[in-house]
Amino acid sequence: MADETIGVVGAGIVGLATAREIALRRPGTRVVVFEKEQEVSLHQTGHNSGVVHAGLYYTPGSLKAALCVRGVSLLREYCQDRALPYREIGKLVVAVREDELGRMDSLYERARNNHVPDLRRISRDEIKELEPHAGGIAALHSPRTAITDYPAIAREFARDVTDCGGEVRLGFRVTGITEAPGGIDVTSAADKVRVDRLILCAGLQSDTVAGLAQDRQEPRIVPFRGEYMLLRPDRTNLVRGLIYPVPDPRYPFLGVHFTPRVDGTVEVGPNAVLALAREGYRRTRISPRDLLGLAAYPGTWRMAARHWRTGIKEYRGSFSAAAFMKDAGHYVPGVGVRDVVRGGAGVRAQALDRDGTLVDDFRIHRVGRITAVRNAPSPAATASMAIAEHIADAALGEA
């Protein structure tokens, strides 16, 4: 209906893409985005590495795989139309040991099933042609993998929303969601807005905000901090494109890798350590409330029992630059502590089921007139425009 008001909680890239999709799809609909911060894309989007994933990793037939493939084409076209950065610098997924070759071959078949364009296996000599300083005994080369500037894209999405007559309300921390006759009341400490339908895209706070809407308790969000090193400016010439390890299928994390950014810097990382606050970008940031929530959830302890060895290894790298760079040195031999400085960090909203399983695919729940995005993991930024289509279909009853 053209006279509807639709609210979206969260002004990260997924929330803004969804608000934009609805505003364009339903001209005349009033779209209001509620964001607790004073600017958009401050959390996961603002700490993103900028990679536009081509679809190598995702289980064929999964929502991740389908939305990533469509999302890449939509994002590429959008960046071209808006003169936003989009550079296809290519990616190498490098095997450095013989026992990784089987996993690399499995990844190749998975990527082919996902229709990753121009992907090929390459030899040690071909690695050197593409990346003269890289190590490895074999690799997959994805030449169409790209880098971009996700915060800039998010800001452009926000402009699209307002250009369509919508509103992005900054500094609006949602404290209550109440179904009322004829609508849903979205409240903050100082204001109340009535909407006809509501979409929750709250990222690191997704389970908390979903709880306000009486959604189910699981999955819960467990924050993992990913820390980065930066190659010193005089060493960035060691890396031309993206250099990744062969991923461990037991984990949703991709391992320490080399990532050129659109600003010319090169990141090394991230690791993955349990953060002691949902917005814990520094090791010293501790939230007693968040810690209590983690401790009270059975899934946290079941996850820890399964993965404690990996956790210790990741924490060692957090406190020791030498340990951090040890793995990275397998992929660009000779690069060590003297070649890097400490960079920034991001926090990933990792959804966790009660049985301790790390949720790997998108989870979207519907509660009456409220649609809750409970898990939107990587490649959420890459797939944001396709995710927006999917969410809009669900929220507007068009699926």
Side-chain angles (χ1 to χ4, degrees):
M1 295 174 59
D3 58 351
E4 274 192 315
T5 298
I6 297 179
V8 178
V9 177
I13 196 166
V14 172
L16 290 168
T18 301
R20 172 185 179 273
E21 174 67 22
I22 291 170
L24 292 172
R25 187 183 295 194
R26 292 281 186 91
T29 296
R30 179 181 176 230
V31 179
V32 183
V33 181
F34 305 101
E35 169 56 49
K36 69 183 178 68
E37 306 294 353
Q38 295 297 329
E39 57 186 282
V40 304
S41 71
L42 196 62
H43 292 292
Q44 290 188 104
T45 305
H47 294 83
N48 192 290
S49 64
V51 177
V52 182
H53 293 283
L56 277 73
Y57 305 106
Y58 317 120
T59 302
S62 67
L63 196 54
K64 261 190 177 185
L67 295 180
C68 182
V69 171
R70 174 152 176 78
V72 170
S73 62
L74 292 172
L75 194 71
R76 183 192 307 115
E77 183 178 346
Y78 187 81
C79 288
Q80 291 169 349
D81 287 346
R82 303 301 175 95
L84 293 166
Y86 190 97
R87 294 172 50 205
E88 291 183 345
I89 63 172
K91 174 193 284 188
L92 289 180
V93 179
V94 179
V96 296
R97 301 187 311 271
E98 293 286 340
D99 63 3
E100 294 179 325
L101 293 176
R103 278 193 281 140
M104 190 187 80
D105 289 340
S106 296
L107 185 65
Y108 177 74
E109 292 304 319
R110 174 174 288 198
R112 283 188 62 198
N113 287 330
N114 288 338
H115 307 290
V116 173
D118 304 325
L119 183 73
R120 63 191 182 102
R121 295 186 183 96
I122 63 173
S123 66
R124 186 196 305 264
D125 290 341
E126 291 172 303
I127 291 173
K128 291 295 184 183
E129 291 175 10
L130 293 168
E131 292 282 358
H133 301 284
I137 58 175
L140 300 181
H141 181 221
S142 171
R144 302 289 293 278
T145 299
I147 56 174
T148 189
D149 184 340
Y150 285 118
I153 293 169
R155 292 190 293 270
E156 195 71 12
F157 285 168
R159 278 191 284 271
D160 290 343
V161 171
T162 57
D163 286 348
C164 289
E167 184 180 2
V168 179
R169 299 197 61 173
L170 301 175
F172 192 108
R173 181 186 293 271
V174 175
T175 58
I177 297 171
T178 307
E179 293 225 33
I184 302 161
D185 289 334
V186 183
T187 58
S188 70
D191 205 354
K192 178 167 70 175
V193 178
R194 178 159 293 187
V195 300
D196 295 288
R197 307 189 206 200
L198 185 64
I199 301 167
L200 310 180
C201 299
L204 287 161
Q205 308 295 339
S206 61
D207 55 347
T208 302
V209 174
L212 297 176
Q214 307 304 309
D215 191 17
R216 67 190 76 169
Q217 294 187 349
E218 283 86 32
R220 295 282 185 87
I221 293 299
V222 176
F224 279 91
R225 186 173 60 254
E227 300 160 330
Y228 290 89
M229 298 288 185
L230 289 174
L231 286 183
R232 294 183 181 276
D234 61 337
R235 302 295 277 169
T236 57
N237 62 336
L238 296 176
V239 177
R240 294 177 176 176
L242 299 149
I243 303 175
Y244 278 59
V246 177
D248 186 332
R250 295 174 298 171
Y251 303 105
F253 310 107
L254 297 179
V256 170
H257 46 269
F258 290 80
T259 307
R261 302 293 301 267
V262 294
D263 64 3
T265 59
V266 177
E267 290 180 334
V268 186
N271 58 1
V273 298
L274 187 66
L276 304 182
R278 293 194 183 217
E279 296 169 8
Y281 301 106
R282 300 186 304 275
R283 288 197 297 266
T284 55
R285 173 83 168 90
I286 299 173
S287 166
R289 179 178 180 178
D290 291 345
L291 278 178
L292 285 172
L294 286 173
Y297 186 51
T300 304
W301 300 101
R302 290 167 181 153
M303 175 191 69
R306 293 176 189 172
H307 304 303
W308 63 270
R309 290 182 179 86
T310 300
I312 290 172
K313 177 177 178 290
E314 294 292 316
Y315 267 107
R316 187 179 297 123
S318 178
F319 286 92
S320 166
F324 190 103
M325 292 302 297
K326 182 179 179 181
D327 285 344
H330 295 309
Y331 302 96
V332 181
V335 170
V337 174
R338 291 176 296 180
D339 303 301
V340 296
V341 295
R342 287 276 178 185
V347 179
R348 173 180 177 143
Q350 175 61 54
L352 182 70
D353 277 331
R354 179 171 285 268
D355 65 359
T357 301
L358 297 165
V359 181
D360 191 44
D361 208 353
F362 297 107
R363 290 267 184 96
I364 300 172
H365 297 169
R366 181 86 177 267
V367 186
R369 290 171 292 175
I370 300 172
T371 303
V373 179
R374 297 298 300 269
N375 191 46
S378 178
T382 296
S384 56
M385 298 179 77
I387 296 170
E389 293 177 335
H390 183 80
I391 295 169
D393 287 345
L396 302 176
E398 297 176 2

